[in-house]
Amino acid sequence: MTDVRHPIPELMRENDVIDLLVHQHSMIRDMFDEVAEAPDDGRAEAFRRLVRMLAVHETAEEEIVHPYARRKLDGGAAVVADRLAEERAAKRLLAMMDRNGPQHPDFLSNLDELRIAVLTHARAEERYEFPRLRARTSAMERRAMALGLRAAEAMAPTRPRPGVESATRNLLFGPPAAIMDRARDLIMKAVGRKKD
């Protein structure tokens, strides 16, 4: 089983952007199980990792993969528009859940709804976008995209930003949001350590 707490070293072995994204989709599926099965006192940390992974993953796709697919694929604009609509809906739910926290009475039912939305989205990418993108790109292009994806993930916000689903908006709003999110993450981590 993938260690979802420290995904980056394992992911560094993926040199093809499509393989990297499919691997991340698998990790996300595992992370949903981890959150659902976590004891009450461990659910917040498991959920925090899921929120971070989803926010970073979607931002990087929006900045690197979707613009490329829009240009390279026949009908790419429609394929990407469908994926962005799915992402927007999932981000709204994820943002609400992040605000309410895992102690909210509707958390587990919302988690089930989010899981369905996110995994349906991942399947749609794997079925409608990724195979066509693989067919229309060279191995070298996909390696370059994997490097770009990793760079985008390193600078991405760690919380969902509904309404920021385009590369342009991510580049405009992403860096300040990423700084705020990452500062908040460090503060939360420091506060959490002091409680121990």
Side-chain angles (χ1 to χ4, degrees):
M1 184 166 152
T2 302
D3 183 357
V4 294
R5 291 169 298 188
H6 305 287
I8 301 305
E10 184 173 332
L11 292 177
M12 294 304 283
R13 292 192 300 255
E14 301 293 345
N15 292 321
D16 181 296
V17 71
I18 295 168
D19 294 340
L20 176 62
L21 292 170
V22 169
H23 184 87
Q24 287 181 354
H25 289 172
S26 175
M27 290 174 55
I28 289 166
R29 279 188 283 279
D30 291 346
M31 292 173 94
F32 271 108
D33 291 340
E34 183 183 332
V35 174
E37 296 167 5
D40 290 341
D41 63 346
R43 186 166 286 140
E45 178 57 30
F47 183 59
R48 169 73 5 243
R49 288 191 301 269
L50 176 64
V51 169
R52 182 183 177 97
M53 179 68 171
L54 289 172
V56 167
H57 173 84
E58 292 305 329
T59 297
E61 281 185 341
E62 292 160 5
E63 288 180 12
I64 305 298
V65 179
H66 296 324
Y68 210 82
R70 188 180 289 117
R71 287 189 312 271
K72 282 286 205 175
L73 304 181
D74 294 331
V79 169
V80 170
D82 289 345
R83 300 302 71 80
L84 293 178
E86 296 161 0
E87 288 172 14
R88 190 174 304 110
K91 280 184 184 182
R92 283 189 192 116
L93 179 56
L94 182 61
M96 184 264 303
M97 292 175 68
D98 192 33
R99 278 190 309 274
N100 292 343
Q103 71 286 351
H104 192 275
D106 295 332
F107 180 80
L108 289 176
S109 62
N110 287 333
L111 184 68
D112 288 339
E113 183 180 340
L114 181 66
R115 179 195 308 247
I116 291 166
V118 167
L119 298 183
T120 299
H121 167 72
R123 278 191 299 274
E125 285 178 332
E126 292 174 11
R127 182 174 181 188
Y128 301 113
E129 188 174 10
F130 296 172
R132 294 171 62 196
L133 195 57
R134 188 183 300 275
R136 297 294 308 262
T137 56
S138 68
M140 186 181 303
E141 286 173 300
R142 291 191 305 278
R143 277 193 300 275
M145 288 172 64
L147 290 172
L149 190 89
R150 285 190 190 100
E153 288 177 339
M155 297 183 292
T158 60
R159 294 197 168 51
R161 301 281 187 246
V164 182
E165 285 86 26
S166 72
T168 303
R169 286 181 182 229
N170 274 309
L171 293 173
L172 274 172
F173 301 113
I179 291 168
M180 290 185 297
D181 286 354
R182 289 168 192 268
R184 180 179 170 199
D185 292 345
L186 287 172
I187 291 166
M188 297 298 287
K189 190 173 184 179
V191 170
R193 283 188 182 153
K194 288 182 181 179
K195 290 181 183 177
D196 292 340

